[in-house]
Amino acid sequence: MSDEEGRQRRRTILREASELDGVQLETYADRWPVSGTRAERRARHRTMAWFGLAVVGTLCFVIVYLAWPWRYVPPLGHEATGYHLYTPLLGATFGLALLGLSFGIGTYAHNFLPKENAIQERHDEPSSRTDQDATAAILHEARESAGLTRRSWMARTVGAAAGACGLGAGIGAIGSFVKDPWDQPSSPQSLWHTAWASPTGETVYLRRVTGQADEVHLVRPEDLAPGAVLVCVPFRESERDDPEKLHEALRRADSPVNLVRLLPGTPVTPRSGQENFNWQDFYAYSRICTHLGCPIGMDLAKENRLMCPCHSSQFDLHAGARPVFGPAVRPLPQLPITVDDTGNFRARGDFTEPIGPSFWELG
């Protein structure tokens, strides 16, 4: 039996089985009864162009993911532009790949799958052997009619596009195991360090956030009334006449802390190893919520708690800023502080733990 005879036999079985199943095929015809026409070639080129776009988009995604600057840099300066474009470029390139793949499949289905118009009556009986044979014939006929065996270009193009998109998704899935944000612990750019670190030994003061980027207001104990909270960022005397660095301290995500003055006599149970991080009734905690990184800007003074406005996580100041409500599971990192001979608050060192959202390795 020739290929054409086998194809006609399957179509006959398809129509007869469809009628047995209550399906009437009013129309079932090839899109291109005459192969190799100019119109078919144009349709093929459009389809291949979409799948080619999927391949190009995925290759660009891989290049951006592996080669584009991705480590955190302060928002000021020429290097910040490339860092800020990293995530948008990942989304744009992989979105382009998915766009090409989806439009390629749609274009192929529109131009090469058989024209079919079927009417079917609904029934709930179990499938008979005839129905099973009909289903097999339908699937085989769909494969033949779609040209997946005759049109080798389609199989290669679809395989390349789907494989490229799968490669891009795979790289995105395993990339976090290749790029470790916690590596190089001695590097200033590591997540183990913040702007409060002082590699040169220069004193780092607590600077009050006033809303004026160039204004330097060092914090003294008398600036806070009992029960008050003050937002502070790091300051070094070498930065006083440098507007760029003054701006950078305000914009760095790891900079802000909430300086809290508890009421006299407030009982506090500090966390282990942080018993001397405070100065009298003054405590400094990271302003970045350990849930999803929102700024903690609400003070529940009566309960001695800090609250995140995004998802209502609450941190108990009686117990070293441990979470007592909401989705956060990790306490706010505490900054060790003291008051120097000039009467100004300064940091005694960097945070002893990473700030910000808790990942799986942080618990």
Side-chain angles (χ1 to χ4, degrees):
M1 182 184 297
S2 65
D3 292 341
E4 185 61 27
E5 290 175 344
R7 185 180 184 190
Q8 292 299 328
R9 182 174 181 276
R10 286 191 300 272
R11 289 204 170 186
T12 301
I13 296 176
L14 171 65
R15 289 183 178 275
E16 292 177 352
S18 298
E19 291 175 359
L20 291 175
D21 199 29
V23 178
Q24 180 181 355
L25 290 178
E26 293 189 346
T27 304
Y28 192 82
D30 290 335
R31 296 277 183 178
W32 310 104
V34 179
S35 179
T37 62
R38 183 177 298 178
E40 182 186 7
R41 290 196 298 270
R42 287 198 298 267
R44 180 181 65 185
H45 293 158
R46 286 196 300 270
T47 304
M48 294 181 68
W50 282 116
F51 286 125
L53 181 65
V55 175
V56 171
T58 303
L59 292 177
C60 292
F61 171 83
V62 172
I63 292 173
V64 171
Y65 191 90
L66 297 178
W68 199 269
W70 61 276
R71 293 186 179 276
Y72 173 79
V73 293
L76 295 179
H78 64 282
E79 295 182 354
T81 301
Y83 169 74
H84 290 159
L85 289 176
Y86 180 64
T87 299
L89 284 176
L90 287 180
T93 52
F94 198 64
L96 191 68
L98 295 179
L99 179 72
L101 182 62
S102 59
F103 271 76
I105 294 174
T107 303
Y108 183 80
H110 178 73
N111 289 283
F112 292 98
L113 293 184
K115 296 178 181 179
E116 179 180 332
N117 184 17
I119 301 174
Q120 180 179 15
E121 297 180 3
R122 181 177 179 180
H123 62 88
D124 298 324
E125 291 79 10
S127 298
S128 65
R129 181 63 184 178
T130 303
D131 293 334
Q132 297 174 19
D133 292 340
T135 301
I138 290 172
L139 295 176
H140 197 110
E141 173 60 23
R143 179 171 175 266
E144 291 289 334
S145 300
L148 295 179
T149 56
R150 293 180 290 109
R151 300 183 178 101
S152 59
W153 62 267
M154 177 61 186
R156 293 195 299 269
T157 307
V158 172
C165 289
L167 175 65
I171 289 180
I174 67 175
S176 58
F177 297 97
V178 177
K179 292 181 176 181
D180 184 3
W182 307 101
D183 65 354
Q184 300 179 355
S186 60
S187 170
Q189 299 301 326
S190 169
L191 292 182
W192 291 109
H193 299 285
T194 73
W196 295 96
S198 182
T200 63
E202 184 178 4
T203 301
V204 183
Y205 292 99
L206 274 67
R207 169 190 166 198
R208 180 177 185 174
V209 176
T210 62
Q212 300 295 325
D214 298 332
E215 184 177 1
V216 177
H217 185 142
L218 302 185
V219 183
R220 305 172 67 88
E222 56 267 26
D223 293 337
L224 274 78
V229 178
L230 192 65
V231 182
C232 302
V233 294
F235 169 78
R236 298 164 178 79
E237 282 297 337
S238 59
E239 302 169 352
R240 184 176 290 275
D241 298 321
D242 191 333
E244 181 175 340
K245 290 190 175 181
L246 292 177
H247 283 241
E248 178 183 332
L250 293 174
R251 297 186 180 186
R252 278 197 60 162
D254 58 3
S255 292
V257 297
N258 283 318
L259 180 63
V260 181
R261 184 177 184 180
L262 300 178
L263 295 173
T266 300
V268 177
T269 303
R271 296 170 58 194
S272 177
Q274 300 182 3
E275 293 82 358
N276 61 346
F277 277 23
N278 60 298
W279 185 84
Q280 296 184 8
D281 295 325
F282 294 83
Y283 297 77
Y285 295 103
S286 171
R287 188 172 166 82
I288 309 304
C289 182
T290 55
H291 173 223
L292 289 180
C294 294
I296 297 177
M298 301 181 70
D299 172 29
L300 306 180
K302 292 184 178 179
E303 295 84 3
N304 276 320
R305 296 180 183 179
L306 295 175
M307 188 175 84
C308 177
C310 293
H311 305 99
S312 301
S313 292
Q314 297 182 22
F315 302 88
D316 187 4
L317 297 178
H318 289 279
R322 288 183 174 88
V324 293
F325 183 83
V329 297
R330 192 164 62 93
L332 295 176
Q334 185 175 355
L335 182 72
I337 59 173
T338 188
V339 174
D340 66 4
D341 296 337
T342 64
N344 297 313
F345 277 107
R346 67 173 180 86
R348 293 171 44 215
D350 199 0
F351 291 100
T352 57
E353 56 188 317
I355 68 165
S358 297
F359 300 96
W360 57 87
E361 66 268 27
L362 294 180

